[in-house]
Amino acid sequence: MSKQWYILHTYTGYEGKIERTLNSMLEAKEIDGNVLTNVKVPVEEVVEIKDGKKRSRKNKFLPGYIMLEMDLPDLGWKAICSQIRRIQGVTGFVGTNPNVRPRPITADEAKNLLLKSGEIKGEKQVHIKQSFAVGDTVKITDGPFATFSGTIEEVNPEKDRLRVMVQIFGRATPVEVSLLQAEKI
């Protein structure tokens, strides 16, 4: 037996309640702490720029799903899984019937989900919610080119970067800035 990550399907909006219920069951020793070791609701940080102010919030990027790290025993797994399934709002484990042993996700899938949610130390991913298009006029709000204005020449959503043409000493110069450093005019 070894610890593996499983995905639990829930009603959307019940993720936090079910996470609290599972954690309270662990504290009350209703579920063995050696079997269920970790409960996570995968969330990502979203930064939204509105009216020139940055607002940060956490969004569930898998609504209706919870990650469980479990060390399921060969004998007695059915009782543990049915105890989890009986929690109000839980529909079951992803990919299996109630009478079949749940299948874990691969280590790579678990690592990607945990990395995206910032649970694994490393490069924490932040999703920026703002729409820019080529040709938009923006004002740079941060960095060495703060207070400069220009038009967007290129948008790179994968790297969260913009190439903006600004007037420096009377010449149009391309400047690369983060999405967080620009605001639409």
Side-chain angles (χ1 to χ4, degrees):
M1 293 187 307
S2 64
K3 292 181 186 177
Q4 294 179 309
W5 285 97
Y6 297 83
I7 303 292
L8 187 66
H9 187 258
T10 66
Y11 294 146
T12 304
Y14 279 66
E15 301 91 348
K17 179 183 178 210
I18 293 168
E19 180 185 25
R20 288 188 300 275
T21 301
L22 285 168
N23 286 326
S24 67
M25 289 172 79
L26 282 170
E27 288 174 18
K29 305 229 186 280
E30 294 174 30
I31 294 179
D32 188 3
N34 295 325
V35 175
L36 179 61
T37 56
N38 208 341
V39 180
K40 299 263 184 233
V41 176
V43 293
E44 66 182 341
E45 187 176 351
V46 176
V47 176
E48 188 174 20
I49 301 171
K50 215 175 211 181
D51 300 328
K53 295 180 183 176
K54 294 179 195 173
R55 293 187 180 103
S56 181
R57 68 174 195 266
K58 298 210 181 263
N59 271 1
K60 296 176 192 114
F61 63 86
L62 289 176
Y65 296 96
I66 296 177
M67 295 176 65
L68 302 178
E69 186 179 31
M70 297 193 301
D71 189 2
L72 274 183
D74 292 330
L75 299 173
W77 64 266
K78 207 171 207 174
I80 295 163
C81 291
S82 67
Q83 187 178 12
I84 292 171
R85 277 191 204 99
R86 281 194 298 257
I87 297 171
Q88 183 180 359
V90 173
T91 59
F93 287 90
V94 171
T96 58
N97 294 328
N99 57 350
V100 178
R101 184 183 172 104
R103 280 182 259 151
I105 60 174
T106 66
D108 288 338
E109 289 172 324
K111 182 180 175 188
N112 288 339
L113 289 173
L114 291 171
L115 187 66
K116 187 174 180 182
S117 67
E119 297 292 335
I120 296 177
K121 299 299 179 221
E123 190 174 314
K124 188 172 183 179
Q125 296 180 350
V126 176
H127 179 71
I128 300 166
K129 183 180 178 185
Q130 187 165 10
S131 59
F132 289 107
V134 174
D136 286 351
T137 303
V138 295
K139 177 182 171 189
I140 299 174
T141 59
D142 194 20
F145 299 102
T147 69
F148 281 86
S149 296
T151 55
I152 297 174
E153 186 179 78
E154 181 183 344
V155 178
N156 189 342
E158 292 83 34
K159 293 184 178 179
D160 291 333
R161 307 291 288 172
L162 297 173
R163 183 176 297 142
V164 181
M165 293 299 280
V166 296
Q167 293 287 327
I168 300 176
F169 303 120
R171 292 187 145 158
T173 307
V175 175
E176 195 164 299
V177 295
S178 165
L179 291 178
L180 291 174
Q181 295 176 314
E183 138 186 331
K184 283 186 183 179
I185 295 178

